[in-house]
C-alpha cells in the first residue's frame, strides 16, 4: 500500500520504494522494507537469522543506522521502540535517532494516545513520553491504549482500564474482546458449553 506518497515493492528479491507514477525514488537495496510513517520507514538487511534494522527518510538517507536486532514496525507519536545491542533491553529513540527513553524494559510497544505498554520482569504497565511509569507493571497481558482505554489481564480477569489504571469495564462475560475503535469494541459471547459464539459491540459504558 501507498503511505505518505510512497509504496515499498519487491524487485529481484530486494525491496525499495516507488512514487505514485511508478518511478523508483529509493533504490531496491533492502531485504525488508515497511511503510512510511511520520516521515520515516523501517528497513532491514541481512539473512533470516541475522537481520538488522534501521530507519530511512523519504530521500533514502539512513536517519537511524541499520544496527538494531529489533525495532517496532513504524514511528508512532514521534518515538521508535528499539532494542539495545548491549543489554537486550528496550527503549525509545526520537526521529533523529537520539535516545529519548533509556533501554530499561524487557519488552515494549508503540506509543498510542500518549502511553506505551512496557514489560518489567514479566509484568506489563504503561509509561508516558518521558519514560515515567504511569500505570504500574502488574498485568499479565496489556494492549495499546485506544480511545482512552486499554484491555488488560490480571489474575486471569480481563477488563478495560482508563489512563489512571482504573478498572472501568469488566469483561468476564466475553470469550473474545477487541480494543476500542471509534468508541466501540467488538466482543463475543458463547453458550455454557463454550459453543454457539456470537459477536456484538459494547460502548464505553
Amino acid at each position: 500500500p501507498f503511505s505518505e506518497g510512497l509504496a515499498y515493492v519487491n524487485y529481484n528479491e530486494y525491496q525499495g520504494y516507488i512514487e505514485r507514477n511508478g518511478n523508483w525514488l529509493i533504490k531496491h537495496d533492502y531485504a525488508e522494507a515497511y511503510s512510511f510513517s511520520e516521515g520515516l520507514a523501517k528497513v532491514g538487511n541481512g539473512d533470516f537469522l541475522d537481520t538488522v534494522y534501521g530507519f530511512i527518510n523519504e530521500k533514502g538517507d539512513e536517519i537511524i543506522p541499520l544496527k538494531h536486532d529489533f525495532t517496532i514496525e513504524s514511528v508512532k507519536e514521534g518515538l521508535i521502540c528499539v532494542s539495545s545491542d548491549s543489554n537486550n533491553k528496550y527503549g525509545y529513540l526520537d526521529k533523529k535517532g537520539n535516545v529519548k527513553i533509556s533501554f530499561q524494559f524487557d519488552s515494549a510497544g508503540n506509543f498510542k494516545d500518549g502511553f506505551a505498554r512496557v514489560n518489567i520482569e514479566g509484568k506489563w504497565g504503561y509509561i508516558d513520553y518521558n519514560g515515567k511509569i504511569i500505570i504500574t507493571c502488574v498485568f499479565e497481558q496489556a494492549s495499546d491504549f485506544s480511545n482512552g482505554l486499554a484491555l488488560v489481564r490480571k489474575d486471569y480477569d480481563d477488563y478495560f482500564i482508563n489512563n489512571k489504571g482504573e478498572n472501568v469495564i469488566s469483561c468476564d462475560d466475553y470469550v473474545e474482546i477487541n480494543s476500542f475503535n471509534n468508541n466501540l469494541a467488538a466482543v463475543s459471547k458463547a453458550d455454557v458449553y463454550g459453543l454457539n459464539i456470537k459477536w456484538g459491540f459494547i460502548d464505553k459504558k
Side-chain angles (χ1 to χ4, degrees):
F2 275 87
S3 177
E4 301 185 2
L6 296 172
Y8 63 88
V9 294
N10 188 298
Y11 184 82
N12 286 341
E13 299 184 3
Y14 284 89
Q15 299 185 17
Y17 294 83
I18 59 170
E19 301 174 285
R20 290 185 180 276
N21 58 14
N23 292 333
W24 289 100
L25 183 66
I26 300 172
K27 190 177 178 182
H28 41 88
D29 285 337
Y30 299 103
E32 294 183 33
Y34 298 83
S35 293
F36 271 87
S37 173
E38 300 184 26
L40 297 177
K42 174 182 174 178
V43 292
N45 266 332
D47 58 37
F48 178 72
L49 296 176
D50 195 28
T51 304
V52 289
Y53 299 96
F55 283 79
I56 60 173
N57 64 15
E58 293 168 345
K59 297 179 180 180
D61 302 323
E62 289 185 8
I63 303 301
I64 297 173
L66 277 70
K67 66 176 185 178
H68 297 283
D69 293 333
F70 169 86
T71 75
I72 212 73
E73 189 165 309
S74 59
V75 183
K76 294 296 182 183
E77 301 185 6
L79 294 172
I80 307 163
C81 179
V82 304
S83 66
S84 169
D85 297 331
S86 59
N87 63 3
N88 293 321
K89 297 287 186 178
Y90 291 75
Y92 293 83
L93 308 179
D94 64 19
K95 292 166 67 173
K96 294 182 179 181
N98 301 313
V99 177
K100 176 69 174 178
I101 299 173
S102 63
F103 299 96
Q104 57 188 291
F105 307 110
D106 297 325
S107 188
N110 271 331
F111 269 89
K112 192 171 182 184
D113 288 359
F115 297 91
R117 56 192 179 94
V118 295
N119 187 296
I120 298 176
E121 296 182 352
K123 299 290 186 179
W124 291 90
Y126 295 87
I127 60 171
D128 64 11
Y129 292 130
N130 296 314
K132 180 181 178 181
I133 294 178
I134 300 301
I135 299 173
T136 307
C137 296
V138 295
F139 305 108
E140 288 94 38
Q141 295 180 22
S143 70
D144 294 335
F145 268 87
S146 182
N147 293 163
L149 299 177
L151 180 64
V152 297
R153 173 174 291 179
K154 183 181 178 184
D155 299 329
Y156 302 101
D157 289 330
D158 295 316
Y159 51 93
F160 283 96
I161 60 172
N162 60 19
N163 57 19
K164 296 180 181 179
E166 299 167 336
N167 180 348
V168 293
I169 302 175
S170 176
C171 297
D172 292 341
D173 293 336
Y174 305 122
V175 178
E176 296 181 70
I177 312 140
N178 289 336
S179 294
F180 274 85
N181 186 26
N182 292 327
N183 295 312
L184 294 175
V187 296
S188 69
K189 287 186 175 182
D191 61 24
V192 294
Y193 303 105
L195 305 173
N196 194 30
I197 293 175
K198 302 294 185 183
W199 285 88
F201 290 86
I202 59 172
D203 63 17
K204 289 185 175 182
K205 296 182 180 179

